[in-house]
Amino acid sequence: EKGYGTGEHAPGLKLGGCGAYKAAHHIIKTHAKVWHSYNNTWRNEQQGMVGISLTSAWGEPVDPHSQTDRDAAERYMQFHLGWFANPIYKGDYPEVMKNYVGRKSAQQGLGTSRLPTFSVQEKTYIKGTSDFLGIGHFTTRYILQKSFPFLQVSSYHTDSDLAELVDPKWPAPGPKWLYSVPWGFRRLLNFIKTQYGNPLIYVTENGVSEKVQCTQLCDEWRIEYLKGYINEILKALNDGVNVRGYTAWSLLDKFEWNKGFFERFGFYHIDFKNKDKPRYPKASVDYYRKIISANGFPNSREVMS
């Protein structure tokens, strides 16, 4: 969406309400082709697994007693995670995406929907092409219904007719989009379990960057973030969610999309101005090392059910 819709990220194409859907369509078909290639050629010999990693926030209805807000939150999840996961696990785009994008395309006077369609053969070919689901997760949003006025030029953001809110009380240790909301992770993992038949899950990205450069390397907010989110994975495991592994994001400060080296997610601080790029452990290194060593919280009193 940011590469082919708004143009914020590489390759920087501003293709509006069509580009993101076309790019995603090709990604999904290409993913399926790679899965089948491995399945047919190497699986018997190597016994490996091929999956896909999808990043999704959790969408919580602003008013859980409002059917309108519950529908909006469901739509948020389908327009984000379901956009890719639904074809791979169920063979087609979510119905709500097809309905909303189709209706808005018709209002614009377009003969066909801006959301491409899969042929019957493609649906069969794509369905089931994931031996595990990789999940990147960072934050949560409150969701409510928001009807956008009729737009001649629609976008992925206006197609779903919803607004995203945050609670000002949520800690925001990192960039402006990344609020620490651990309970959303458990809900996301349970959503995946229910929607896609409890697939094998590997958490491929989860972490937080810092707003200001932490010269003393005392990133206690990262420790709190990790503690909260990993604890919610433990709760999800107790719920029966099939989580097999966890990868924190990230080992080192690094080049971060259009933020360059400014946004730092690393356990290790990198001095990018020094030609040798020396690495300095932040406080979170010691904490995370203990979690890895114990394969869980070393102090059981830290874990709350």
Side-chain angles (χ1 to χ4, degrees):
E1 191 268 327
K2 289 182 176 173
Y4 295 86
T6 63
E8 290 173 62
H9 289 174
L13 300 178
K14 298 180 181 179
L15 302 175
C18 292
Y21 295 132
K22 281 185 180 175
H25 200 68
H26 291 308
I27 288 169
I28 293 162
K29 291 202 288 185
T30 306
H31 162 80
K33 190 167 186 177
V34 171
W35 186 92
H36 282 286
S37 172
Y38 185 84
N39 199 50
N40 296 335
T41 312
W42 294 290
R43 189 186 297 276
N44 283 344
E45 181 186 337
Q46 296 180 350
Q47 298 298 305
M49 293 195 299
V50 177
I52 192 165
S53 185
L54 305 175
T55 299
S56 180
W58 171 247
E60 180 77 6
V62 167
D63 179 1
H65 303 295
S66 159
Q67 187 62 49
T68 305
D69 285 359
R70 289 205 304 271
D71 290 346
E74 172 72 20
R75 204 157 60 245
Y76 175 89
M77 293 309 302
Q78 297 299 346
F79 264 82
H80 285 77
L81 184 64
W83 183 8
F84 292 86
N86 222 73
I88 289 167
Y89 285 95
K90 299 183 178 181
D92 200 4
Y93 291 120
E95 286 300 315
V96 70
M97 275 192 89
K98 294 195 287 185
N99 293 342
Y100 270 69
V101 182
R103 188 174 73 249
K104 300 228 171 183
S105 301
Q107 287 172 350
Q108 290 174 271
L110 301 174
T112 57
S113 175
R114 286 179 283 104
L115 183 70
T117 54
F118 294 113
S119 68
V120 174
Q121 290 87 350
E122 284 172 338
K123 289 177 187 178
T124 306
Y125 188 72
I126 292 164
K127 185 178 179 182
T129 56
S130 203
D131 304 318
F132 66 89
L133 179 60
I135 282 292
H137 174 71
F138 295 90
T139 194
T140 283
R141 293 288 185 269
Y142 280 122
I143 308 296
L144 75 164
Q145 163 79 23
K146 180 183 178 181
S147 296
F148 286 89
F150 171 66
L151 299 165
Q152 234 9 85
V153 181
S154 282
S155 72
Y156 166 74
H157 273 296
T158 58
D159 280 339
S160 51
D161 276 352
L162 52 84
E164 302 176 28
L165 304 176
V166 297
D167 185 333
K169 294 193 287 291
W170 288 344
K176 60 184 180 181
W177 61 271
L178 209 171
Y179 292 80
S180 180
V181 195
W183 53 260
F185 204 2
R186 182 184 186 181
R187 297 187 187 196
L188 172 66
L189 292 168
N190 273 283
F191 176 87
I192 292 166
K193 174 190 171 189
T194 304
Q195 287 275 315
Y196 310 119
N198 203 13
L200 174 61
I201 295 171
Y202 285 92
V203 177
T204 44
E205 287 188 38
N206 173 242
V208 65
S209 63
E210 50 237 43
K211 249 179 206 162
V212 291
Q213 191 156 324
C214 179
T215 47
Q216 283 81 38
L217 307 173
C218 48
D219 57 345
E220 70 286 342
W221 66 85
R222 183 172 283 109
I223 291 170
E224 287 304 310
Y225 180 98
L226 291 166
K227 185 190 294 184
Y229 276 75
I230 293 171
N231 195 22
E232 292 298 317
I233 299 174
L234 275 175
K235 294 177 189 177
L237 281 166
N238 289 333
D239 298 334
V241 179
N242 192 10
V243 183
R244 184 75 58 83
Y246 173 85
T247 307
W249 190 260
S250 60
L251 179 66
L252 309 170
D253 290 337
K254 60 184 180 347
F255 191 84
E256 183 67 27
W257 299 93
N258 55 345
K259 301 294 188 292
F261 296 112
F262 180 74
E263 205 164 289
R264 294 171 176 267
F265 276 86
F267 285 121
Y268 284 84
H269 175 87
I270 308 295
D271 182 358
F272 292 112
K273 291 176 180 168
N274 185 316
K275 65 180 177 62
D276 296 323
K277 308 288 186 292
R279 307 168 183 186
Y280 303 101
K282 302 173 189 176
S284 53
V285 167
D286 190 51
Y287 180 75
Y288 192 57
R289 184 184 286 128
K290 288 174 183 170
I291 289 179
I292 292 170
S293 300
N295 194 29
F297 290 103
N299 180 354
S300 59
R301 287 178 297 179
E302 284 189 356
V303 184
M304 293 174 291
S305 59

